[in-house]
Amino acid sequence: MRRPDQQTTTRPPSDPAPGAGSGADATAETPPDKAGEQGHPAGDLTTEAVLAPYLRGQAADFLRSLRLHHEHSSPAESGGHDAAAATRALRRAARRISGSLHTFRAALDPHWADQLRAELAWLSGVLAREHAYAGRLTRLVEALHQLSGPALPAARGARASGEAAASDAQGRAALGVGAARAGALLERRLTLARTRSHSAALQALGSSRFHAVADAVALLASDVPLAPGTTGRTAEALLEPAERAEQRLLAAVAALPPADSEPYNEAQDAAWHQARLLLRLHRYAHEVVLGAAAPALASCGHALDLHRDAVEAAAAAAAAARTPRIAPATAYALGVLHADQRHEVEAARAVFRETWPYATALTAP
């Protein structure tokens, strides 16, 4: 692609590989004001001194977000934007704790790490569903409005004259007839799913299981259970698992389907979802080892988030089209909507390929 083939971003910026990590790319990996302060020292710090503060900080963020969520979800509050923001912050902290427990499991008490990681994954999944359904409905309704406008988007290709233009006009007319009903059907389905997810989240937050998770995170905020023998080890021991996480990501990206793949082949979506999860784990490991996020990975991470949203929106449109006894115009509108979202899938993949900062994985066929 466009950037040098630098394969390790979890090594300290003070000890770059020969010929790598210079110029603009070096500054992109680690901010100048943090390079000496947050770069991994050779042996001054122990594993505990690097990993424990990160986990304690994320645990404190989790507890703070939980308190804000309770405050804004009370009957006296509206439970609107502030509650949603608190939920997002809660999930953010839970993901970082869970990801760090996964990557650096060897440095921690393995039984404790596995148990807490599973519980945090459960909690994050429960809290994510309501937000996901709301975002999906907004995305699909807006796409329907755009598709049923006076002209189809330019992405549909150049318009021919004569019979092709007449066919397009008929297609837009048919889409306009079914778009309103398709939107109403999607709103009924996704609003019901969102309501159920909201009830499930409230039930989960009031359960004994959640209180056990909150208690475990509260203990983590003051005490990080390390594996025997870890206390005296230098922080260099964290580099190996962080680099394994990076290599898994690079391998997953190298295995992604080529750019000329069929965008309607939904069997390929799983590989992209896996790359997104591995990128997230790599980013969190980068935060632990180097003390800051990797700026070069922000854009491609956002592209993979958009990819997931488009995949799930296309699946929702397809599921709605399978509703029994719907009018042909409604089914047609949902089919066009499904195709539009699959085009968005391909667009997100193209953005990822353009913004991916390493050359090796994306020069393949």
Side-chain angles (χ1 to χ4, degrees):
M1 294 288 287
R2 300 167 287 104
R3 298 187 179 118
D5 181 12
Q6 179 182 347
Q7 292 221 350
T8 302
T9 61
T10 50
R11 282 286 172 183
S14 58
D15 185 23
S22 60
D25 293 312
T27 58
E29 289 299 331
T30 305
D33 61 334
K34 296 182 182 291
E37 173 188 345
Q38 296 184 336
H40 197 298
D44 297 344
L45 297 179
T46 63
T47 295
E48 181 180 13
V50 174
L51 180 58
Y54 180 84
L55 289 174
R56 285 196 294 265
Q58 295 302 326
D61 288 344
F62 180 97
L63 298 173
R64 187 181 306 111
S65 302
L66 179 59
R67 176 178 56 81
L68 291 174
H69 184 274
H70 285 327
E71 291 177 356
H72 296 300
S73 299
S74 64
E77 296 284 342
S78 62
H81 174 74
D82 292 335
T87 300
R88 287 193 297 271
L90 189 65
R91 291 175 48 225
R92 178 184 183 276
R95 288 196 306 267
R96 278 165 169 74
I97 296 172
S98 178
S100 300
L101 296 181
H102 174 82
T103 301
F104 302 105
R105 180 179 182 273
L108 301 162
D109 180 330
H111 175 73
W112 167 84
D114 291 344
Q115 186 175 27
L116 181 56
R117 180 166 63 90
E119 293 302 286
L120 288 172
W122 161 76
L123 176 62
S124 182
V126 169
L127 295 179
R129 293 189 191 107
E130 180 184 359
H131 172 75
Y133 283 124
R136 202 169 304 153
L137 176 60
T138 300
R139 180 189 185 96
L140 289 171
V141 169
E142 289 179 351
L144 268 178
H145 285 318
Q146 292 176 359
L147 291 168
S148 59
L152 289 177
R156 298 298 177 272
R159 300 311 186 189
S161 58
E163 294 181 358
S167 177
D168 288 340
Q170 293 175 358
R172 287 196 298 272
L175 181 60
V177 171
R181 292 181 179 178
L185 176 60
L186 288 168
E187 186 168 2
R188 286 196 303 272
R189 291 172 61 91
L190 293 176
T191 300
L192 177 60
R194 180 186 180 185
T195 301
R196 289 174 175 170
S197 298
H198 179 73
S199 300
L202 292 179
Q203 184 176 2
L205 291 174
S207 67
S208 58
R209 182 179 183 181
F210 169 75
H211 288 296
V213 175
D215 290 343
V217 175
L219 291 176
L220 176 61
S222 59
D223 179 37
V224 178
L226 298 173
T230 302
T231 304
R233 298 176 66 187
T234 65
E236 286 288 328
L238 297 177
L239 286 178
E240 183 178 350
E243 289 176 348
R244 282 200 302 269
E246 182 177 55
Q247 292 305 315
R248 286 194 296 268
L249 169 64
L250 293 176
V253 173
L256 290 174
D260 57 356
S261 298
E262 171 58 52
Y264 293 98
N265 186 354
E266 297 177 358
Q268 297 176 354
D269 295 341
W272 289 89
H273 294 329
Q274 178 68 8
R276 175 178 172 272
L277 294 177
L278 292 175
L279 175 59
R280 177 172 284 177
L281 289 176
H282 171 56
R283 287 171 50 215
Y284 299 161
H286 195 285
E287 291 178 4
V288 172
V289 174
L290 295 182
L297 298 176
S299 296
C300 51
H302 180 63
L304 290 179
D305 289 341
L306 293 177
H307 176 273
R308 177 208 54 188
D309 293 344
V311 166
E312 293 178 346
R322 291 191 293 269
T323 302
R325 298 183 298 277
I326 61 173
T330 306
Y332 173 76
L334 290 169
V336 173
L337 181 60
H338 174 268
D340 175 76
Q341 292 303 302
R342 291 308 302 185
H343 278 286
E344 292 295 324
V345 168
E346 186 61 22
R349 293 177 183 179
V351 172
F352 174 82
R353 294 186 182 98
E354 174 65 21
T355 57
W356 177 246
Y358 309 117
T360 34
L362 293 178
T363 54

